[in-house]
Amino acid sequence: MVLGRRSVPGSGTGLLAQLLLALICGGYATGAALGWGSERLALFMGDFGLSLAAMIAAVSCFCYARVRRGPFRPAWLLFSFSSAMASGGNAVWGWYEVILDEPVPSPSLADLFFLCFAPPAIVGLLVLAKRPVSRAGWVCLALDSWLIGGSLLTLSWSLALARTTQVRGESVTQAALSLAYPLLDIVLVSMVLALHFRRATGSRSAVNTAIAALALTVLCDALFTSPLLRETYRSGQLLDAGWFAGSLLLAYAPWGVRRAPESVPHPRQSRHSRPSGHPIAGSLAAITPYLAAAVCTLGILYNVIEGRQVDRVVVLTGCTVVLALVVRQGIMLVDNIALTHELAQTENHFRSLVQGSSDVIMIAAPSGILRYVSPAASGVYGREAEDLVGAELASIIHPDDLGRVVHEVRRFLAAPPSEEPTTRIECRFKSGAGEWLNVESTVNRHQGGLIFNSRDVTERVRLQAQLQHNAEHDPLTDLPNRALFTERVRQALSGRRTTDPGTAVLFIDLDGFKGVNDRLGHQAGDELLILAAQRLQDSVRAGDTAARLGGDEFAAIVLGDGSGGDQRAREYQVHEIADRLRLKLSQPYRIDGNDVRVAASIGVAFAEPGITPTDLMRNADLAMYRAKAGGKDRVELYAPQMQADVVRRTELAARLRSALHDGEFALLHQPVVHLATGRVSSVAAQARWRSAQGILFTPAEFLRVADDSDRTAELGRWLLEEAVAQAAERARTGHAVPVAVRLPARRLLDRSMPLGSIEALLTRHGLPSGALVIELADTDPRASLDELEHRLVALRRLGVRIALDGFGSGYAAINALRRLPVDVLKLDRGLVEGVVESARLHKITAGLLRIAGDLGMQSVADGLDVPEQVLALRAMGCTHGQGMAFSGPLDEYRLRRALVGGAYALPGGGAVLPVLTGGSLPVRQPRQPVSDRIPRPLDPLK
C-alpha cells in the first residue's frame, strides 16, 4: 500500500512497486516448490503466511475505502471483509497445524471463515458492475448469471462433484462442506464472467486487477476441492503460492495502478445505450450466455459418451439452463422489436427534420464523394440535391479555400473523437448561379466519412466586413481613420522596415476651413473635406496610406524604399512631395458654383530607429503646428527642438496654474499720452508674471501657454478687478485718470462674466463714470455681433467707454466698427511700426484716422517707440499715443510720480523728456519676435 500510494503512473516508482510485488510472489512460490527447507517452516508459511497476506489485502482495501470517497467505496469494504475472512480461516488452520500440532478437524471454525469469503466478494462484484436501468435488464443479468453458473455446475458435477457426494464414510456435514466450497466458487466465477463485460467505467485498471486477484483465488480453490489434490494436499505446497499471490494482488489493486475518476452512470441513461469499450468486448459480452449453454451441453454429452447414467442434477440443471436461455432469447426478441420500432420512429423523425431544415446536410465518403445532400440545397445553394450527389466536395469549394479546408479536415480526423467530437469550417461554396457563397459548416465524423451541417452566412460576412470597414474608416471621406492609420504606422515600423529611416509621416491641417464652415455652412464644409480627401488619396502612392484624423486634419504615411540611402536626399524628396501636396490642396475647390480657397499646413516627421508609432505621429503633429505658427500654408520638418519647446510650454503652463493663487502676478500701467498736449489722458493696465525663479514674463509669453480657458478666464477676472481697485484708489488720492483693460470679445460673451459682475465691481469700488475703458480685442468673426452689441450698449449705460483694439488688422475690425458702439479706435501695432518707412502704409493709416475723425472718435496709436512715429501719427490726426517714446509699463509708485510730473515732452517741441522715461529717446532697433526675447528681471524703468 505504501509503495502503491507513492507510485505515479508511468513513472519508475510504479514499475519498482510492480517488480517488488513480483519478486515477493516469486520468492514465496520458490520456497513452496522447494518445501521451505523443513516441514515445520512449510506449515508455518502455508498457514500464517497466507493469513498475513490476506490480512494485508484486508487492511489495504479498508484504508483505500477510508481515504477515497466514491460510489465504489462499498465494494472495497466488502473486499476487505472477504480478505479478513480468508485471513481468519488460514489463522485457524495454522493454530491446529502449527501451534497444536494436530490435524484440522472437519468441520471446524476455519470452514466458517472460508465459507464467508465468497459472499462478500460476490456482492462487491455486483457493486462494481454497471447496474441495469430496467427490469428486463435485471432479469437478463440474473439469467446470464444462472446460464454461466448452471453450465459450470453441470460440467463440475459431471467431472468431480458427483463422485464427492458418493464418498462413503463421510458425514452429512462433511459432504455439505465438500459441495459448498465448489458451489460458492462456481457462483463467484459466474459473477466474475457475467460482470466482467458489464463493469463500470470508473477505476477500470483497479477493477481489472481486483477481478484477476479473485479469479486466481477461485482457481486455487477449484484445484484444492478436486479429489486428486485434496487427498495429497498439505500446507506449504505450491498451491499456496496462488492464494498468496491473489491476496497481494488484491492489496495492490486500489493503490498501484492508474485510476480514472470514478463515475457512475446517470440513472436516467437510456436502457438501450450501447456499452462503452471496444467492439470485441461488446461481442464477447453478447455471446457469453450462448457459450455457457454450449458448456452445459458439453457436460451432458460427456456423460452420454462415457456411458454413464445421466444424473438427475445434470438433467435438472441442463433443463433450467435451456429454459433460461429461451426466456432470455424471448426477452431479447421483444426488446429488439421495441428497439426496431423506436429506431424506425426516430429515423422518420430525423428524416423529417433533415428534409425540413433550412441548413444543408451533406454526407461525404472518405474519398470526398458526396453520398447524401438534403433537399435544402436547392434553396441555399441554388442547386438540386440530386445534382450534387456523386460529385466531389472539392468541386464546389473555392480554390483559394480548398487547401485550408483539406488541412482542417485532416487535422480533425487525426484528433481523438473524445477530445474533439466536432469542428467548424468556414469557406466559400459555388452556387447554381456561379456566385460564391460564404458557408459555415459544422463537421462530424460518420463511418469513416464526414457529415457537414452547412448554412449560408454570406449576409453575415458582408455585414461583419461592413462593420469592420466602418470601424476603421472615416464615414464622410471613406479614408482610414486614426485607429487604422496608427495600425498602418505600426506595421510600417515593424518587420523589415524597422530600421528604414526613409519612412515619413505627414500631418496636414487645412488653413481657413473654419471660415468656410462659418460663411458657407457645414454642408459646404463637408463637400470641401470630401474633395480634399480625394486629392490627398490621388496624390499618395499605392503602398502609402492617406487618412482623416478628424475635423480638417489629415495624415499620410510615405513608406521608404528600404535602400538606406542618403538621408538628406530622402528628406529633400519627401519635402518636395509634401510641398506638391500643399499646392494641390491649396487649389480652388468648386462648391455650389463658387470657388473656395483654403491653404494647407503640413508637418513632416521621419522614422528613427526604435521610435514608436505614437512618438512618430506626435513629431509630425508638432511639425504641423510649427508650420501653422510660422505663417500657415507651408511645410515644416520636425526637429528635436520642437519637442523641447513643447516641454517648456507645458512646464510653463503648469506653473501658470498656481501663479494666480500664489500671488506671483503684478499689475503695471502704461500711460496713454495726448499727442497735442503731452498730458496723460489714460493708462493701459497690463499684467506681468514674476515666477518663483525670478523670471519676468510678458503677456505675449505667458498668454501663449495659457490655453486652459478656465485659467485664462480667471486671469481676466483678476486683471479687471485689480485694475478697477487701483484706479479707484488713485481717484481717491487725487490722481483720477481712466484705466483701459484689454478683454477678448469672447470673454465678454462668456457666461462666467455676467453684466451684473462688472456693475457690482464698479459700485463696490466707487469708480466714477468714464473711468473704465474696455479695449475690445480679438473680434472673432464667429461671435454673434448682435449679442456683443447688446452687451456693449449695456456697459455704456454704466459709464464704461469702449475701445476697438487692433483696428486695421482685418475685415472683422471694419465689420465691428460698423455694428458696435465704439468710443475709441486703437490702431494696430503693425500699422504704426512701418508708417514712417512705407508710403503705402502711411496712406492706409491716414485713411483709417480720417474715418475715426469723421465718426467723432478718439484714436490711439499703440507702439509709438521712436519720435519719428509720434510726429507722423500726430500729423495724420491721431489724437493719442502709447509706447516707449513716452514711457514703458510702470508700477503704481512710478505711475503716480508720472501723473504728478505733468505732461510728457513731445518730439519737435524742444522739451526734454522726463527722467521717468530714461532721460533720452531710445535708439530705434529692429524688433525681435517675442519667442526670441530673453526673460528679464522686473524693472519697468529699464
Side-chain angles (χ1 to χ4, degrees):
M1 179 178 66
V2 175
L3 288 175
R5 292 187 65 178
R6 295 180 58 187
S7 64
V8 179
S11 66
T13 308
L15 181 60
L16 178 62
Q18 295 173 6
L19 291 176
L20 183 59
L21 179 64
L23 288 175
I24 294 174
C25 295
Y28 189 93
T30 303
L34 299 178
W36 295 104
S38 67
E39 183 178 356
R40 189 73 176 174
L41 182 59
L43 291 176
F44 181 85
M45 294 301 296
D47 294 333
F48 290 109
L50 292 182
S51 179
L52 178 62
M55 183 55 63
I56 291 175
V59 173
S60 176
C61 293
F62 179 78
C63 292
Y64 179 79
R66 286 288 302 274
V67 299
R68 295 299 178 97
R69 303 289 180 177
F72 302 142
R73 180 170 177 261
W76 296 107
L77 288 175
L78 291 170
F79 290 152
S80 175
F81 181 75
S82 177
S83 298
M85 293 298 100
S87 176
N90 285 297
V92 172
W93 201 286
W95 174 263
Y96 283 103
E97 288 189 337
V98 178
I99 305 301
L100 300 181
D101 195 15
E102 61 183 37
V104 181
S106 181
S108 66
L109 185 60
D111 295 318
L112 178 61
F113 281 113
F114 287 139
L115 289 176
C116 292
F117 167 80
I122 294 172
V123 178
L125 290 174
L126 285 174
V127 174
L128 293 178
K130 183 186 297 183
R131 296 174 180 82
V133 295
S134 63
R135 294 181 180 178
W138 283 105
V139 173
C140 288
L141 176 60
L143 292 175
D144 290 345
S145 300
W146 174 243
L147 285 172
I148 298 173
S151 301
L152 293 177
L153 177 60
T154 301
L155 186 60
S156 301
W157 191 275
S158 301
L159 295 177
L161 294 183
R163 299 179 183 178
T164 303
T165 58
Q166 298 174 2
V167 175
R168 300 184 182 276
E170 289 188 353
S171 63
V172 176
T173 304
Q174 292 175 340
L177 287 176
S178 301
L179 292 175
Y181 285 116
L183 290 178
L184 287 175
D185 289 339
I186 289 174
V187 174
L188 187 56
V189 171
S190 301
M191 295 307 302
V192 169
L193 293 177
L195 299 178
H196 176 67
F197 302 106
R198 293 176 177 267
R199 64 184 182 276
T201 57
S203 300
R204 185 179 296 273
S205 298
V207 173
N208 286 339
T209 306
I211 290 176
L214 293 176
L216 182 59
T217 303
V218 170
L219 177 61
C220 294
D221 288 344
L223 294 175
F224 172 74
T225 54
S226 65
L228 297 178
L229 292 180
R230 186 173 183 181
E231 296 176 356
T232 60
Y233 171 77
R234 288 184 60 84
S235 297
Q237 294 181 350
L238 187 60
L239 184 61
D240 293 344
W243 282 313
F244 184 84
S247 297
L248 291 188
L249 195 61
L250 184 61
Y252 178 76
W255 302 98
V257 294
R258 183 177 55 189
R259 294 179 299 274
E262 294 184 352
S263 60
V264 65
H266 195 278
R268 296 186 179 180
Q269 181 183 3
S270 173
R271 65 188 181 95
H272 306 300
S273 60
R274 297 179 60 184
S276 61
H278 298 286
I280 297 177
S283 302
L284 291 176
I287 65 175
T288 298
Y290 303 100
L291 292 176
V295 170
C296 180
T297 303
L298 290 176
I300 298 175
L301 290 177
Y302 175 79
N303 288 317
V304 174
I305 293 174
E306 290 292 329
R308 300 176 183 177
Q309 183 179 1
V310 180
D311 194 279
R312 293 180 180 179
V313 176
V314 175
V315 175
L316 181 60
T317 304
C319 292
T320 55
V321 168
V322 173
L323 180 61
L325 184 60
V326 172
V327 173
R328 186 185 187 281
Q329 194 66 24
I331 293 175
M332 296 301 297
L333 180 61
V334 173
D335 200 24
N336 287 338
I337 294 174
L339 285 175
T340 303
H341 180 68
E342 183 178 351
L343 181 61
Q345 290 183 342
T346 305
E347 183 178 357
N348 292 332
H349 174 69
F350 281 102
R351 185 180 298 276
S352 62
L353 288 178
V354 169
Q355 294 183 352
S357 174
S358 59
D359 295 347
V360 180
I361 298 177
M362 301 182 298
I363 300 178
S367 60
I369 303 298
L370 294 176
R371 292 179 175 176
Y372 172 80
V373 180
S374 65
S378 60
V380 176
Y381 301 152
R383 305 175 67 174
E384 296 298 331
E386 293 80 4
D387 298 338
L388 291 174
V389 175
E392 290 188 3
L393 182 62
S395 63
I396 62 175
I397 298 178
H398 195 283
D400 295 341
D401 301 338
L402 184 58
R404 175 172 53 84
V405 172
V406 171
H407 178 269
E408 176 62 21
V409 168
R410 289 177 177 174
R411 186 201 62 78
F412 172 66
L413 293 177
S418 58
E419 296 181 3
E420 191 173 3
T422 63
T423 188
R424 190 178 299 272
I425 296 176
E426 189 168 334
C427 60
R428 286 168 290 180
F429 279 6
K430 190 173 185 179
S431 67
E435 301 177 351
W436 293 102
L437 305 176
N438 293 92
V439 176
E440 182 185 66
S441 302
T442 302
V443 185
N444 296 272
R445 298 174 178 84
H446 175 69
Q447 298 178 357
L450 297 171
I451 296 180
F452 292 84
N453 191 349
S454 308
R455 62 194 62 86
D456 184 9
V457 293
T458 303
E459 291 301 323
R460 189 195 72 185
V461 172
R462 290 176 181 173
L463 179 60
Q464 289 177 346
Q466 185 63 39
L467 292 176
Q468 182 70 19
H469 181 85
N470 294 342
E472 296 179 343
H473 289 77
D474 175 56
L476 179 64
T477 62
D478 203 39
L479 289 179
N481 58 14
R482 182 181 295 272
L484 182 57
F485 183 76
T486 304
E487 180 61 27
R488 296 284 176 83
V489 174
R490 181 177 291 105
Q491 294 174 1
L493 297 180
S494 61
R496 63 182 181 87
R497 298 184 180 274
T498 304
T499 57
D500 186 2
T503 299
V505 171
L506 283 63
F507 265 47
I508 306 157
D509 186 84
L510 299 182
D511 304 322
F513 172 75
K514 292 181 175 59
V516 175
N517 247 357
D518 296 333
R519 295 195 311 272
L520 303 180
H522 291 283
Q523 182 65 31
D526 291 345
E527 294 182 12
L528 189 149
L529 291 176
I530 294 174
L531 294 175
Q534 292 176 355
R535 294 183 182 181
L536 179 60
Q537 184 67 38
D538 295 339
S539 301
V540 299
R541 300 173 301 180
D544 299 336
T545 300
R548 182 193 177 201
L549 305 182
D552 59 342
E553 290 188 356
F554 295 86
I557 178 171
V558 180
L559 300 178
D561 54 8
S563 59
D566 187 8
Q567 182 64 16
R568 285 184 173 273
R570 179 59 179 171
E571 290 180 359
Y572 179 78
Q573 180 184 7
V574 174
H575 191 282
E576 281 191 338
I577 294 174
D579 199 54
R580 287 197 301 267
L581 179 59
R582 178 188 63 82
L583 294 176
K584 190 169 185 178
L585 293 175
S586 302
Q587 293 177 2
Y589 296 86
R590 192 70 177 175
I591 300 176
D592 294 336
N594 300 318
D595 286 340
V596 179
R597 292 181 177 271
V598 293
S601 296
I602 302 178
V604 182
F606 286 89
E608 300 174 356
I611 194 171
T612 63
T614 303
D615 292 341
L616 181 59
M617 295 173 63
R618 180 206 60 197
N619 295 345
D621 195 21
L622 291 176
M624 185 265 292
Y625 277 105
R626 176 59 63 91
K628 293 179 71 68
K632 303 180 180 180
D633 192 17
R634 55 183 296 178
V635 177
E636 191 78 28
L637 296 181
Y638 170 78
Q641 182 61 33
M642 297 180 184
Q643 179 63 21
D645 293 342
V646 171
V647 173
R648 174 180 172 276
R649 291 181 58 186
T650 302
E651 294 176 351
L652 190 61
R655 294 201 302 268
L656 179 62
R657 294 186 180 95
S658 59
L660 281 172
H661 301 284
D662 297 341
E664 297 181 5
F665 275 91
L667 187 64
L668 304 182
H669 295 84
Q670 188 172 22
V672 178
V673 180
H674 194 286
L675 297 183
T677 64
R679 300 189 63 84
V680 178
S681 60
S682 62
V683 292
Q686 298 179 6
R688 291 292 187 272
W689 174 28
R690 183 194 295 275
S691 68
Q693 291 78 18
I695 301 176
L696 182 68
F697 294 100
T698 64
E701 291 174 321
F702 65 75
L703 289 180
R704 284 189 302 116
V705 300
D707 51 358
D708 189 345
S709 59
D710 295 336
R711 298 300 172 191
T712 306
E714 187 176 358
L715 179 61
R717 286 193 296 270
W718 176 87
L719 178 63
L720 181 61
E721 292 180 2
E722 193 70 16
V724 170
Q726 293 188 17
E729 180 65 25
R730 285 193 298 270
R732 283 192 291 271
T733 58
H735 301 289
V737 60
V739 61
V741 180
R742 189 174 185 270
L743 293 177
R746 65 179 182 275
R747 187 59 55 202
L748 288 175
L749 297 177
D750 195 350
R751 295 181 179 179
S752 63
M753 184 181 289
L755 182 62
S757 64
I758 299 179
E759 183 179 2
L761 180 64
L762 297 176
T763 303
R764 182 169 68 250
H765 294 283
L767 195 66
S769 177
L772 177 62
V773 180
I774 297 295
E775 293 183 355
L776 189 64
D778 299 336
T779 52
D780 193 341
R782 295 173 296 180
S784 174
L785 289 180
D786 294 334
E787 187 177 355
L788 185 59
E789 181 182 6
H790 176 75
R791 188 66 181 273
L792 295 180
V793 169
L795 288 175
R796 293 188 69 185
R797 290 196 188 102
L798 299 177
V800 179
R801 301 174 65 195
I802 307 300
L804 186 61
D805 189 22
F807 185 70
S809 59
Y811 71 92
I814 300 297
N815 195 27
L817 180 64
R818 182 176 62 86
R819 295 282 305 276
L820 303 179
V822 178
D823 302 302
V824 181
L825 288 181
K826 195 168 185 179
L827 295 179
D828 185 73
R829 295 180 63 94
L831 298 176
V832 178
E833 288 178 351
V835 71
V836 178
E837 294 85 354
S838 173
R840 184 181 183 88
L841 193 59
H842 187 282
K843 294 180 180 180
I844 294 174
T845 306
L848 295 177
L849 291 174
R850 281 196 299 269
I851 293 175
D854 294 341
L855 295 177
M857 299 179 183
Q858 294 182 359
S859 55
V860 178
D862 187 14
L864 292 176
D865 295 335
V866 294
E868 292 85 356
Q869 295 174 345
V870 177
L871 294 175
L873 267 298
R874 185 173 61 182
M876 294 180 193
C878 183
T879 60
H880 297 78
Q882 171 187 346
M884 295 300 298
F886 303 107
S887 174
L890 306 175
D891 59 13
E892 187 65 23
Y893 173 74
R894 291 177 174 82
L895 175 61
R896 294 195 181 190
R897 288 183 57 187
L899 295 177
V900 172
Y904 284 94
L906 298 173
V912 181
L913 292 175
V915 179
L916 294 175
T917 62
S920 62
L921 292 176
V923 179
R924 187 180 181 188
Q925 295 180 354
R927 296 180 59 84
Q928 296 178 345
V930 174
S931 59
D932 296 335
R933 300 177 190 172
I934 301 176
R936 57 189 179 277
L938 179 61
D939 191 348
L941 297 181
K942 295 184 179 180

Coordinates of all heavy atoms in Angstrom, one line a residue, residues 414-442:
A414 N -7.5 13.3 -37.6 CA -6.4 12.7 -36.8 C -6.6 12.9 -35.3 O -5.9 12.2 -34.5 CB -5.1 13.4 -37.2
A415 N -7.4 13.8 -34.9 CA -7.6 14.1 -33.4 C -8.5 13.0 -32.9 O -9.4 12.4 -33.5 CB -8.2 15.4 -33.2
P416 N -8.3 12.6 -31.6 CA -9.2 11.6 -30.9 C -10.6 12.1 -30.9 O -10.9 13.3 -30.6 CB -8.6 11.5 -29.5 CG -7.2 12.0 -29.7 CD -7.2 13.1 -30.7
P417 N -11.6 11.3 -31.2 CA -13.0 11.7 -31.2 C -13.5 12.2 -29.8 O -14.3 13.1 -29.7 CB -13.8 10.5 -31.6 CG -12.8 9.7 -32.4 CD -11.5 9.9 -31.7
S418 N -12.9 11.7 -28.7 CA -13.3 12.1 -27.4 C -12.8 13.5 -27.1 O -13.5 14.2 -26.3 CB -12.7 11.1 -26.3 OG -11.3 11.1 -26.4
E419 N -11.7 13.9 -27.6 CA -11.2 15.2 -27.4 C -11.8 16.3 -28.3 O -12.0 17.4 -27.9 CB -9.7 15.3 -27.5 CG -8.9 14.4 -26.5 CD -7.4 14.4 -26.7 OE1 -7.0 15.2 -27.6 OE2 -6.7 13.7 -26.0
E420 N -12.1 15.9 -29.5 CA -12.7 16.9 -30.5 C -13.8 16.2 -31.3 O -13.5 15.7 -32.4 CB -11.6 17.4 -31.4 CG -12.0 18.6 -32.2 CD -10.9 19.2 -33.0 OE1 -9.8 18.7 -32.9 OE2 -11.1 20.2 -33.7
P421 N -15.0 16.2 -30.7 CA -16.1 15.5 -31.4 C -16.5 16.2 -32.7 O -17.0 15.5 -33.6 CB -17.2 15.4 -30.4 CG -16.9 16.6 -29.5 CD -15.4 16.7 -29.4
T422 N -16.4 17.5 -32.7 CA -16.9 18.3 -33.9 C -15.8 19.4 -34.2 O -15.0 19.7 -33.4 CB -18.2 18.9 -33.7 OG1 -18.1 19.9 -32.6 CG2 -19.3 17.9 -33.4
T423 N -15.9 19.9 -35.4 CA -15.1 21.1 -35.8 C -16.0 22.0 -36.6 O -17.1 21.6 -37.1 CB -13.9 20.7 -36.5 OG1 -13.0 21.8 -36.7 CG2 -14.2 20.1 -37.9
R424 N -15.5 23.2 -36.8 CA -16.3 24.2 -37.6 C -15.4 24.7 -38.7 O -14.2 25.1 -38.5 CB -16.7 25.4 -36.7 CG -17.7 26.3 -37.3 CD -18.1 27.4 -36.3 NE -18.7 26.8 -35.2 CZ -20.0 26.6 -35.1 NH1 -20.8 26.9 -36.1 NH2 -20.6 26.1 -34.0
I425 N -15.9 24.8 -39.9 CA -15.2 25.2 -41.1 C -16.0 26.2 -41.8 O -17.2 26.1 -42.0 CB -14.9 24.0 -42.0 CG1 -14.0 23.0 -41.4 CG2 -14.3 24.5 -43.3 CD1 -13.7 21.7 -42.2
E426 N -15.3 27.3 -42.2 CA -16.0 28.4 -43.0 C -15.2 28.6 -44.3 O -14.0 28.8 -44.3 CB -16.0 29.7 -42.2 CG -16.9 30.8 -42.8 CD -17.1 31.9 -41.9 OE1 -17.1 31.7 -40.7 OE2 -17.3 33.0 -42.4
C427 N -16.0 28.4 -45.4 CA -15.3 28.6 -46.7 C -16.4 29.1 -47.7 O -17.5 29.4 -47.3 CB -14.8 27.2 -47.2 SG -16.0 25.9 -47.3
R428 N -16.0 29.1 -48.9 CA -17.0 29.6 -50.0 C -17.4 28.4 -50.9 O -16.5 27.7 -51.3 CB -16.3 30.7 -50.8 CG -16.2 32.0 -50.1 CD -15.3 33.0 -50.8 NE -13.9 32.6 -50.7 CZ -12.9 33.2 -51.2 NH1 -13.1 34.4 -51.9 NH2 -11.6 32.8 -51.1
F429 N -18.7 28.3 -51.1 CA -19.3 27.3 -51.9 C -19.8 28.0 -53.2 O -20.3 29.1 -53.2 CB -20.4 26.6 -51.2 CG -20.0 25.5 -50.3 CD1 -18.6 25.3 -50.0 CD2 -20.9 24.6 -49.7 CE1 -18.2 24.3 -49.2 CE2 -20.5 23.6 -48.8 CZ -19.1 23.5 -48.6
K430 N -19.7 27.2 -54.3 CA -20.2 27.7 -55.6 C -21.7 27.5 -55.7 O -22.2 26.3 -55.5 CB -19.4 27.0 -56.7 CG -19.7 27.7 -58.1 CD -18.8 27.1 -59.1 CE -18.9 27.8 -60.5 NZ -18.0 27.2 -61.5
S431 N -22.5 28.5 -56.0 CA -23.9 28.4 -56.1 C -24.3 28.0 -57.5 O -23.4 28.0 -58.4 CB -24.6 29.7 -55.7 OG -24.3 30.7 -56.6
G432 N -25.6 27.7 -57.7 CA -26.0 27.4 -59.1 C -25.9 28.5 -60.1 O -25.7 28.3 -61.3
A433 N -25.9 29.8 -59.6 CA -25.8 30.9 -60.4 C -24.3 31.3 -60.7 O -24.1 32.3 -61.4 CB -26.5 32.1 -59.8
G434 N -23.4 30.5 -60.2 CA -22.0 30.8 -60.4 C -21.4 31.7 -59.4 O -20.2 32.0 -59.5
E435 N -22.1 32.2 -58.4 CA -21.6 33.0 -57.4 C -21.0 32.2 -56.3 O -21.3 31.0 -56.1 CB -22.7 33.9 -56.8 CG -23.4 34.8 -57.9 CD -24.5 35.6 -57.2 OE1 -24.8 35.4 -56.1 OE2 -25.0 36.5 -57.9
W436 N -20.1 32.9 -55.5 CA -19.5 32.2 -54.3 C -20.2 32.6 -53.1 O -20.3 33.8 -52.8 CB -18.0 32.5 -54.3 CG -17.2 32.0 -55.4 CD1 -16.8 32.6 -56.5 CD2 -16.8 30.6 -55.6 NE1 -16.1 31.7 -57.4 CE2 -16.1 30.5 -56.8 CE3 -17.0 29.4 -54.8 CZ2 -15.6 29.3 -57.3 CZ3 -16.5 28.3 -55.3 CH2 -15.8 28.2 -56.5
L437 N -20.7 31.7 -52.3 CA -21.5 31.9 -51.1 C -20.6 31.6 -49.9 O -19.9 30.6 -49.9 CB -22.7 31.1 -51.0 CG -23.7 31.2 -52.2 CD1 -24.9 30.2 -52.0 CD2 -24.2 32.6 -52.3
N438 N -20.6 32.4 -48.9 CA -19.9 32.2 -47.6 C -20.7 31.2 -46.8 O -21.9 31.4 -46.5 CB -19.7 33.4 -46.8 CG -18.7 34.4 -47.5 OD1 -19.1 35.3 -48.3 ND2 -17.4 34.2 -47.3
V439 N -20.2 30.0 -46.6 CA -20.9 28.9 -45.9 C -20.1 28.5 -44.7 O -18.9 28.4 -44.7 CB -21.0 27.7 -46.9 CG1 -21.7 26.5 -46.1 CG2 -21.8 28.1 -48.1
E440 N -20.9 28.3 -43.6 CA -20.3 27.9 -42.3 C -20.8 26.5 -42.1 O -22.0 26.2 -42.1 CB -20.7 28.8 -41.2 CG -20.2 28.4 -39.8 CD -20.7 29.3 -38.7 OE1 -21.9 29.2 -38.4 OE2 -19.9 30.0 -38.1
S441 N -19.9 25.5 -41.8 CA -20.3 24.1 -41.7 C -19.8 23.6 -40.3 O -18.7 23.8 -39.9 CB -19.7 23.3 -42.8 OG -20.1 23.8 -44.1
T442 N -20.7 22.8 -39.7 CA -20.3 22.0 -38.5 C -20.0 20.6 -39.0 O -20.9 20.0 -39.6 CB -21.4 22.1 -37.5 OG1 -21.7 23.4 -37.1 CG2 -21.0 21.3 -36.2

